[in-house]
Amino acid sequence: MISSTKYSIKEIASAIKADYSGENEIVNGIGWNSRESLKGHCYFVFKGDKYDGINYVNEAIENGARLIISDRYIKSEIPVLYVENTKYALCELAKYHKNKTKIIGVTGSSGKTTTKEMIGHILRYKYNVISTSDNENNEIGVAKTLLSIKDEDICIVEMGMRKRGEISYLSSICVPETSVMGHVLLVAIMGYFCAVRINACDERVVNAFLCGLFHDLPEVLTRDIISPVKR
């Protein structure tokens, strides 16, 4: 459950590109666990391998949900926003919510969580920082991190890769201004220099990550960064 978000239903509908013409109530949080208190919150219907959130809509409403976001029709007494993919919708809302917060992206085949914690520890001496909880680095975890932003100066987002193209997709959601990745790199972050070790990624993954973060990054710079990395 995330209680740091407070938007009208129409604002949420606009962010996730859903149609809505009903009463414009205020939703003061987001959740997808029907067993938790969802008072005044929006309930996202997710379908997993073992559980399907659509079977728990009534429980979510009983626990206070005021809005449902679903990819399938629901007969409900409260407003419902329909989308093609609820996980994608969550990510779109997260992208909208992060606004202008400075984002630091951390990725690699190992050492991501340790690296994230190290960077956060250093930056907290000077800045108000929020970061990924534990190692929640898939699309839902990234969205959860961004939606938890309140008034922090910096958000450190850990991004994992479980399938081809995932790093590119996750980086398009959070659009980091600074990235940490590779084998052994010196990365300048807000005036600090941190030695960061992450196991070497496949060159194509590195390239996708860079291009996902910096859409106008010159090709020659991409080559210069990738070429020193030896596998």
Side-chain angles (χ1 to χ4, degrees):
M1 183 177 68
I2 305 168
S3 299
S4 56
T5 55
K6 190 173 183 179
Y7 295 113
S8 69
I9 296 179
K10 288 185 178 180
E11 194 172 7
I12 293 174
S14 176
I16 66 174
K17 300 175 178 61
D19 295 327
Y20 182 71
S21 58
E23 294 293 324
N24 198 24
E25 297 183 43
I26 298 297
V27 175
N28 57 22
I30 293 169
W32 45 86
N33 186 342
S34 62
R35 296 171 295 180
E36 296 180 339
S37 173
L38 296 169
K39 188 175 182 180
H41 284 43
C42 166
Y43 174 68
F44 274 81
V45 173
F46 292 144
K47 185 176 182 180
D49 296 331
K50 297 181 179 180
Y51 302 101
D52 189 342
I54 204 166
N55 296 324
Y56 303 96
V57 168
N58 290 335
E59 183 179 31
I61 295 174
E62 290 173 1
N63 283 327
R66 297 302 306 151
L67 173 68
I68 307 294
I69 296 182
S70 176
D71 55 356
R72 288 155 288 167
Y73 174 75
I74 296 173
K75 186 176 182 180
S76 170
E77 60 193 45
I78 65 173
V80 181
L81 297 180
Y82 292 103
V83 294
E84 290 186 12
N85 186 310
T86 51
K87 288 183 180 179
Y88 179 79
L90 180 72
C91 291
E92 287 298 297
L93 184 58
K95 187 190 300 185
Y96 175 80
H97 177 74
K98 80 178 184 67
N99 198 6
K100 296 180 180 180
T101 304
K102 294 183 182 297
I103 307 295
I104 296 175
V106 179
T107 193
S109 57
S110 66
K112 295 182 291 297
T113 302
T114 301
T115 301
K116 172 202 67 181
E117 294 298 329
M118 181 185 72
I119 294 171
H121 180 75
I122 294 172
L123 294 182
R124 285 186 180 93
Y125 280 100
K126 186 174 181 179
Y127 302 98
N128 185 5
V129 178
I130 186 173
S131 62
T132 299
S133 176
D134 298 323
N135 62 342
E136 297 181 338
N137 55 33
N138 61 6
E139 59 184 328
I140 292 180
V142 168
K144 181 180 176 181
T145 301
L146 296 178
L147 287 165
S148 297
I149 293 173
K150 294 179 181 177
D151 57 355
E152 290 83 6
D153 303 309
I154 299 171
C155 178
I156 305 171
V157 182
E158 180 179 329
M159 291 177 277
M161 179 176 172
R162 294 164 182 79
K163 58 186 176 182
R164 187 174 182 179
E166 188 166 14
I167 293 297
S168 181
Y169 173 57
L170 295 179
S171 64
S172 74
I173 297 169
C174 56
V175 193
E177 297 183 33
T178 304
S179 62
V180 180
M181 61 176 185
H183 186 54
V184 179
L185 301 175
L186 281 177
V187 182
I189 304 173
M190 303 297 289
Y192 293 97
F193 282 88
C194 305
V196 180
R197 185 187 189 284
I198 307 175
N199 286 357
C201 298
D202 184 278
E203 183 172 315
R204 289 168 298 178
V205 176
V206 176
N207 189 52
F209 185 55
L210 285 170
C211 293
L213 302 184
F214 308 102
H215 301 289
D216 58 347
L217 187 70
E219 183 180 352
V220 63
L221 179 56
T222 306
R223 289 200 306 269
D224 289 345
I225 293 175
I226 292 174
S227 57
V229 179
K230 298 184 182 299
R231 299 190 297 275

